[in-house]
Amino acid sequence: IATSVQPEARRATLEEYFEHELSSESKHEFINGQITPMAYTSDNHGLIATNFSAEIRQIFKKHDGRVYAGDRMVFSPFCNEIYYPDIVVVKGQPEFYQYKENMRATLNPTILVEVLLDNTENKNSNNTWPRYLQEIKSLQQFFLVSQHEPSVEYYTRMEDGSSRWIYTYANNLDAGIPIGGEEVSLREIYALVNWQQQA
């Protein structure tokens, strides 16, 4: 029986990715050598990301922290990949990988937040989040936020600065999660979310 073997997709270079992104009207990530378009996001997704970003901004205004929502490239030199997390926090001075004058990516995020898409609500199907924990040495906290129920999973780096993480979750609107020495309420993160509207 004859079988066909699909050729492996060609891997792009980092330079090819940046040149593509410079001329593109939409955003793409660069993962495992592939230039991948960002997925469509729902109304709830955008609302949750905006709510969470607003809460984090209030905290980090006091702590020399920069908060970027939805438009900040993060570069991991360890694996040569580029991501666009929903929220990026940089404590202190940002460090950049500079490709061209108008194209640079953050190297030292302190906190990253991902609001899970419909096709990544099962975190085991999302290949990006383990890379954050393994490869970005400046990272101190990482949050996975559901858009279908009040549920936030988060990872906090051990205080010894090692590659070990503490996993925690909160799954009701009266719960809070610790960020920057303060607590953010899930009720604020999910304010005005329409649970019946998932598109």
Side-chain angles (χ1 to χ4, degrees):
I1 299 173
T3 59
S4 61
V5 178
Q6 295 296 323
E8 185 177 347
R10 176 186 174 275
R11 291 173 180 262
T13 66
L14 186 63
E15 290 72 22
E16 288 172 331
Y17 164 77
F18 277 119
E19 288 299 327
H20 181 276
E21 203 70 355
L22 275 168
S23 60
S24 176
E25 294 182 359
S26 58
K27 291 184 292 189
H28 300 74
E29 293 186 311
F30 183 60
I31 300 173
N32 197 27
Q34 302 301 310
I35 300 173
T36 306
M38 298 292 291
Y40 165 81
T41 58
S42 68
D43 180 74
N44 279 350
H45 183 286
L47 182 58
I48 292 165
T50 300
N51 289 343
F52 205 159
S53 174
E55 295 300 308
I56 294 177
R57 285 182 193 278
Q58 291 302 312
I59 294 170
F60 279 91
K61 283 195 302 186
K62 314 166 193 172
H63 302 292
D64 189 26
R66 292 162 171 81
V67 181
Y68 307 92
D71 60 354
R72 186 70 252 149
M73 259 184 198
V74 171
F75 177 46
S76 173
F78 181 82
C79 59
N80 216 38
E81 294 186 340
I82 302 278
Y83 315 109
Y84 278 101
D86 289 302
I87 302 170
V88 177
V89 179
V90 177
K91 185 86 180 293
Q93 289 299 314
E95 299 172 8
F96 298 107
Y97 176 89
Q98 187 84 40
Y99 178 66
K100 289 187 175 179
E101 184 178 356
N102 58 343
M103 180 64 69
R104 63 184 185 177
T106 298
L107 289 168
N108 62 329
T110 305
I111 296 172
L112 296 176
V113 178
E114 289 280 12
V115 180
L116 293 172
L117 300 169
D118 286 341
N119 62 350
T120 57
E121 280 287 278
N122 177 356
K123 70 177 185 296
N124 292 325
S125 69
N126 182 357
N127 293 323
T128 302
W129 70 269
R131 296 173 185 268
Y132 290 155
L133 304 185
Q134 296 167 9
E135 298 160 1
I136 301 178
K137 303 308 180 186
S138 61
L139 192 63
Q140 297 301 310
Q141 283 188 300
F142 172 61
F143 296 86
L144 287 165
V145 186
S146 172
Q147 63 172 306
H148 295 297
E149 60 182 344
S151 175
V152 179
E153 299 175 85
Y154 55 101
Y155 297 80
T156 303
R157 192 184 294 274
M158 295 282 285
E159 291 185 0
D160 61 7
S162 69
S163 58
R164 295 179 298 163
W165 295 81
I166 299 170
Y167 168 80
T168 320
Y169 69 92
N171 59 2
N172 70 78
L173 291 175
D174 293 323
I177 53 178
I179 302 176
E182 300 188 27
E183 188 171 271
V184 174
S185 163
L186 265 67
R187 194 171 299 279
E188 295 299 329
I189 293 171
Y190 288 103
L192 302 179
V193 168
N194 181 349
W195 300 110
Q196 283 69 50
Q197 177 181 304
Q198 298 297 336

